[in-house]
Each structure stands twice: as structure tokens, then as C-alpha cells.
């Protein structure tokens, strides 16, 4: 894979003029409208916006789950464009270089914690490094739960398993779609603290879609989407400032 020669500061994900439309003619919906963005490696970015503003489409395009109608998406320091990559290479790249965390955890019920966490490695035919596994379980506070099944864990613990599973491949970026949406307030704070800690101590890059201003306030930068466009970006916003910005975007809680 070709490597870029200039990489300072390193970017984990780059979108160049990404447009995604669905349908055609009168029924055409432009979900993302000429979005350009570079996410610096080792940072935590929150993506906010009203329902229908293109948040999920943005995440799916950045993840290679959805192909842009036009524009380019690059991961890490490579110049291979996800928008035009073959399905086979995209599958490999998603498996090896991207971590996902979903609102609904998406764990496999029949597998224990350790098996869920190492699943991406097994799918890739990669050997599990025992020290790295132990380290990853410790990082999410699940060392004592390695043999438990998801049904034996609380919601917060299940999301910790999903985070460990996302981290196990040491991905370029972890993409999270409303990761605290199914959790109570206290547990949500706990998970957000863990994501923040992962960025601060492991240099992990995280991009998180959320409609919760408090969740977004854990991030380094907040990106506001409206009608498929980035209408504002900011850093160091408090939850109140983010809520205020959302209100002015005409947002309603999703
Ligand atoms: P958000 O996640 O911010 O709620 P989405 O990215 O899901 O927004 O959707 C953005 C716009 O694209 C919406 O108008 C939505 O209806 C439309 N859209 C999303 N996916 C599809 C699809 N598969 N087919 C048609 N329209 C879609
Ligand atoms: Mg969505």
C-alpha cells in the first residue's frame, strides 16, 4: 500500500468533497453535501446534528460501509481511496483498521467476553497476543469477567466488551454511533470517561456520533452537521455551549 510522504500532523481519516445521494430525479436526497474533513490521529471528535442531518451517512462513508456518490475517503497515512476500492479490500480494511461501537452493543450471545473481544482477530486469521488481550481487558475493567457471557453482564459492561473488541486490532480509528444511547446517565458518563481515557493514554482516534451535548463535551472537537453539510466545528465547548449551538440549528433530541 502506498504511503504518503508528508504526514504532519498525522491524520487518521480524511474526507475530500464527499457527497452521498440516494435515489434520483425528484426523489433524490442529498444525505452528505460536499463534506471535507481531516481528523487528526489521537483525537476524540464528536459529530452532532439534527435527525436526518447525515450523521450516520457520514460515519458509514468514513467506515467504508457506504460508498460516496463522489469524493474520496482515506484512512491513516495511505492514499488508497475507500470510495473506489474493491469490496474485498474494503472488507479487509474494515476488519483490520477500523473499530466499531454501536448503540446496541452487537455482541454475540453465545460467546464469552474473551471470545467476543478476540473475534476480529480470529476472523482475520490473526493470532491473539495474550499480553495485548490482558491489557485490553484491563483497560476496560473486565479482567474478572473474561469467561462471562453477555447475558451475565450489565449494559455498561456489555458496552465495555464492545469497546475492547473495537480496540483489539489497534485500529486507525474507532467509529461509534450513539455508543451511550442505550445506557442510563451514570453508566453513560462512565463509558464516555473510558473513551476519553483511551484517547489520552493510548493515542486512539475516536469519532463518535451523538445527539447528547454532555457526551459531545467529552470530545476534543465537535462537528455540527445540518442538511448534510458541516455548518460549524469547535473545540473546548462545554455541554451548555453545545446544547445552545444545537438549539440554534433547530435540533430536536433524536
Ligand atoms: P442522521 O443519522 O443524522 O439521522 P442519516 O445519515 O441517517 O441522518 O440520513 C441523512 C438523510 O439521508 C436523511 O434525509 C435520510 O432520510 C436519507 N437517507 C439515509 N439513508 C438512506 C437510504 N438508504 N435511502 C434513502 N435515503 C436515505
Ligand atoms: Mg443516524
Amino acid at each position: 500500500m502506498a504511503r504518503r510522504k508528508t504526514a504532519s500532523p498525522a491524520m487518521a481519516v480524511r474526507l475530500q468533497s464527499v457527497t452521498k445521494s440516494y435515489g434520483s430525479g425528484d426523489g433524490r436526497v442529498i444525505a452528505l453535501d460536499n463534506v471535507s474533513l481531516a481528523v487528526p490521529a489521537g483525537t476524540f471528535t464528536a459529530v452532532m446534528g439534527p435527525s436526518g442531518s447525515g450523521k450516520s451517512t457520514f460515519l458509514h462513508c468514513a467506515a467504508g460501509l457506504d460508498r460516496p456518490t463522489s469524493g474520496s475517503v482515506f484512512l491513516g497515512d495511505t492514499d488508497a481511496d475507500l470510495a473506489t476500492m474493491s469490496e474485498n479490500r474494503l472488507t479487509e480494511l474494515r476488519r483490520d483498521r477500523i473499530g466499531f461501537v454501536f448503540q446496541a452493543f452487537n455482541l454475540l450471545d453465545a460467546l464469552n467476553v474473551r471470545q467476543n473481544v478476540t473475534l476480529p482477530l480470529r476472523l482475520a486469521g490473526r493470532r491473539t497476543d495474550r499480553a495485548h488481550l490482558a491489557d485490553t481487558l484491563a483497560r476496560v475493567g473486565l479482567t474478572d469477567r473474561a469467561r462471562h457471557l453477555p447475558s451475565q453482564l450489565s449494559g455498561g459492561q456489555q458496552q465495555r466488551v464492545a469497546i475492547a473488541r473495537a480496540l483489539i486490532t489497534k485500529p486507525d480509528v474507532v467509529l461509534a454511533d450513539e455508543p451511550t444511547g442505550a445506557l442510563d446517565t451514570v453508566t453513560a458518563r462512565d463509558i464516555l470517561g473510558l473513551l476519553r481515557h483511551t484517547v489520552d493514554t493510548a493515542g486512539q482516534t475516536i469519532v463518535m456520533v451523538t445527539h447528547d451535548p454532555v457526551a459531545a463535551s467529552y470530545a476534543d472537537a465537535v462537528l455540527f452537521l445540518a442538511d448534510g453539510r458541516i455548518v460549524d466545528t469547535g473545540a473546548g465547548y462545554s455541554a451548555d455551549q453545545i446544547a445552545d449551538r444545537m438549539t440554534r440549528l433547530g435540533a430536536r433530541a433524536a
Side-chain angles (χ1 to χ4, degrees):
M1 200 174 279
R3 298 276 157 179
R4 288 167 75 230
K5 294 200 173 58
T6 52
S8 54
M11 294 295 162
V13 190
R14 286 173 293 137
L15 275 71
Q16 280 173 11
S17 307
V18 170
T19 293
K20 175 71 183 179
S21 62
Y22 294 103
S24 59
D26 284 352
R28 184 163 181 249
V29 174
I30 300 178
L32 274 187
D33 190 0
N34 198 26
V35 166
S36 294
L37 170 79
V39 178
T43 64
F44 188 1
T45 301
V47 179
M48 297 200 83
S51 185
S53 59
K55 301 184 296 296
S56 292
T57 305
F58 168 85
L59 214 63
H60 292 167
C61 285
L65 286 168
D66 234 349
R67 269 181 211 279
T69 308
S70 62
S72 298
V73 179
F74 304 101
L75 209 58
D77 58 354
T78 71
D79 51 14
D81 187 355
L82 274 60
T84 54
M85 199 174 275
S86 74
E87 277 306 323
N88 286 346
R89 274 197 66 201
L90 262 185
T91 302
E92 255 176 48
L93 180 137
R94 279 198 301 263
R95 197 181 58 203
D96 297 344
R97 304 187 57 180
I98 300 176
F100 292 99
V101 179
F102 305 93
Q103 179 171 337
F105 320 139
N106 295 10
L107 302 177
L108 294 181
D109 294 337
L111 302 186
N112 68 27
V113 167
R114 180 199 170 93
Q115 292 165 333
N116 266 288
V117 170
T118 55
L119 187 62
L121 297 174
R122 291 206 304 283
L123 289 176
R126 279 160 67 183
R127 194 182 73 74
T128 297
D129 179 305
R130 293 176 78 86
H132 178 56
L133 173 62
D135 196 52
T136 305
L137 288 176
R139 177 171 289 284
V140 301
L142 288 175
T143 302
D144 300 340
R145 298 285 186 277
R147 307 268 169 205
H148 284 56
L149 293 171
S151 60
Q152 298 171 311
L153 302 175
S154 69
Q157 287 172 330
Q158 290 185 54
Q159 194 60 305
R160 287 170 175 272
V161 177
I163 290 169
R165 181 181 57 187
L167 295 174
I168 197 74
T169 58
K170 303 179 184 171
D172 284 316
V173 61
V174 170
L175 301 170
D177 201 348
E178 300 275 6
T180 57
L183 302 173
D184 65 77
T185 311
V186 173
T187 308
R189 303 289 176 270
D190 198 44
I191 291 295
L192 290 162
L194 172 61
L195 295 176
R196 179 72 254 174
H197 187 69
T198 306
V199 172
D200 291 339
T201 62
Q204 181 61 56
T205 310
I206 299 179
V207 178
M208 170 181 73
V209 163
T210 181
H211 69 268
D212 175 7
V214 174
S217 72
Y218 281 74
D220 298 302
V222 186
L223 198 87
F224 294 90
L225 281 176
D227 295 328
R229 294 183 190 184
I230 298 175
V231 292
D232 193 13
T233 55
Y237 284 153
S238 69
D240 284 345
Q241 288 169 316
I242 295 166
D244 184 56
R245 187 75 189 91
M246 284 292 285
T247 306
R248 281 186 282 122
L249 281 177
R252 51 200 159 83

